[in-house]
Structures are given as structure tokens and as C-alpha cells.
Amino acid sequence: MKLLTVQDVLSIEDYERSREAFRRRIIDLKQRRRLSVGNLITMVFENRETVLFQIQEMVRAERILRPERVSEEVTMYNEQIPRAGELSATLMIEVTDPQLVKPVLDRLQGIDRGQTVGISVGPHLVYGVFEQGRSNEEKISAVHYVRFPVPDAVKALMEDPAVPMQVVVTHPRYQAVQPVSEEMRRSLLEDLAGGS
């Protein structure tokens, strides 16, 4: 998938004029790419459009005007765009009760290490590779970025809607399985084809 450049980012003024339509389009897109896995984990599969939206919103919120600062944002957010042969997702540990945030995050320590989150397609299970630096021995972030390398054999099975596909979490203190809808599967296949 093609990475973003500074030229892809609208000025704050131009973005304000198109923001409402852009937001509606991205909300609709993210809805098709969002998956709840159990009652605590939500994943949003990212692509070029979802990442551009995040950059535009950051530039708008932070009033970033200098081109070198916009370039820094683009470089940082480009890390979330899937590369050839992979899928990329933002994994969120969602806790609505503020008093439970720390206990839940403590319980999920280590979710970003080892074989804990995977995509199952037929007989294959592809484990995610987490971005490092979002946890240490004492605490873990509620937001993680994870990449799934998808071999050609798995991609070929994804193209067959008769082959079951699901996201699997196998952490020692949290196990969940969620089937991937046909609509989401088609969207992820576009990513693997280099779409967006």
C-alpha cells in the first residue's frame, strides 16, 4: 500500500471545508473494519484512508502549520499503513469504568508479547507482531499497533468465502474468538492487493 506524503495532507483551511464529508466516509469505512473480540478488545484494521484521517485530525487539533511538523506526523503515522503482504490494526483495550482501567490493563500484561493475537483462516493461524515500546514490566498501554504478515497461501484461502476466518486472542487471562464478516474480509483483501 502506498505510503502517505506531506502533499496528501490538506491545509487546515482546506480540511475544514471538506471535513464533514471526509469524517462521514471514514466513520463508514471504519465501521466495516472494526471488530470486537470478546468484551474488552476492539480492533480497527487500518489502511491509507484511515491513517490519513488520523493525520488530518491531529494537524487540525494541534494547529500544526509548519511543513516539517506535518512531515513528522506523516512519518509517524505511516507506520500504521500495512506494507505489501500484511494487514495492520489498532488494538484497543476498552474499559468504560475508570476504576477498572488499571486492574484490567494489569490483567492483560503481556498481550503484546508472544503469540497472543492472531488471524485464523481455515487451518492457518497468523500471529500479529506488536509495535514495541507500549508496555513495560509495570504497565501496559490501552492502545497497540499490530501487524499481521499474510502469506500467499493464507491470502488465497481468504478469497474463498466458504473458508472460515476469525480473529483469535489467546492470552493466558483473556481468550476470545470473533468471526470476520464477509464485508470485512473483502476490505482486508483490498489491503492485501495494495488498495486504498
Side-chain angles (χ1 to χ4, degrees):
M1 193 171 292
K2 187 178 169 192
L3 297 179
L4 293 162
T5 68
V6 173
Q7 289 72 36
D8 294 312
V9 181
L10 297 173
S11 69
I12 293 172
E13 297 77 25
D14 289 344
Y15 182 57
E16 286 293 352
R17 283 193 284 278
S18 61
R19 181 174 183 247
E20 204 46 52
F22 191 21
R23 279 184 73 238
R24 278 196 304 273
R25 189 165 51 86
I26 296 301
I27 287 168
D28 181 55
L29 176 64
K30 281 190 171 191
Q31 204 129 26
R32 294 191 310 268
R33 300 172 68 85
R34 177 182 304 271
L35 188 69
S36 293
V37 188
N39 62 341
L40 293 176
I41 291 177
T42 299
M43 293 176 64
V44 176
F45 286 89
E46 305 290 358
N47 67 8
R48 196 170 188 272
E49 286 183 88
T50 65
V51 171
L52 177 58
F53 176 70
Q54 291 177 62
I55 295 170
Q56 290 287 177
E57 287 293 305
M58 181 61 70
V59 167
R60 176 182 182 268
E62 301 282 325
R63 308 302 295 169
I64 299 171
L65 301 172
R66 294 190 351 253
E68 60 272 14
R69 280 284 294 117
V70 174
S71 179
E72 288 171 15
E73 294 296 321
V74 169
T75 299
M76 182 177 71
Y77 279 98
N78 265 338
E79 290 302 311
Q80 296 177 32
I81 295 177
R83 303 311 192 258
E86 71 180 16
L87 298 171
S88 176
T90 300
L91 181 148
M92 294 158 285
I93 301 168
E94 299 193 310
V95 186
T96 53
D97 183 340
Q99 294 181 340
L100 295 177
V101 171
K102 184 173 177 356
V104 168
L105 291 179
D106 287 350
R107 180 175 134 211
L108 292 177
Q109 268 287 7
I111 196 162
D112 59 337
R113 294 188 294 275
Q115 296 181 328
T116 57
V117 179
I119 296 174
S120 166
V121 183
H124 301 279
L125 184 55
V126 176
Y127 285 103
V129 178
F130 283 75
E131 176 189 70
Q132 295 305 296
R134 297 199 159 264
S135 69
N136 57 39
E137 294 309 312
E138 284 126 35
K139 66 183 222 172
I140 184 171
S141 173
V143 178
H144 297 269
Y145 302 110
V146 59
R147 294 179 178 282
F148 298 91
V150 179
D152 288 342
V154 174
K155 181 183 171 203
L157 287 176
M158 283 176 66
E159 292 169 354
D160 181 352
V163 176
M165 179 178 178
Q166 48 202 4
V167 173
V168 180
V169 179
T170 57
H171 183 272
R173 291 178 296 284
Y174 186 88
Q175 294 86 40
V177 176
Q178 184 62 44
V180 173
S181 71
E182 181 59 33
E183 186 176 38
M184 179 179 279
R185 185 190 293 228
R186 283 194 305 270
S187 191
L188 297 180
L189 281 166
E190 286 176 21
D191 292 356
L192 291 170
S196 194

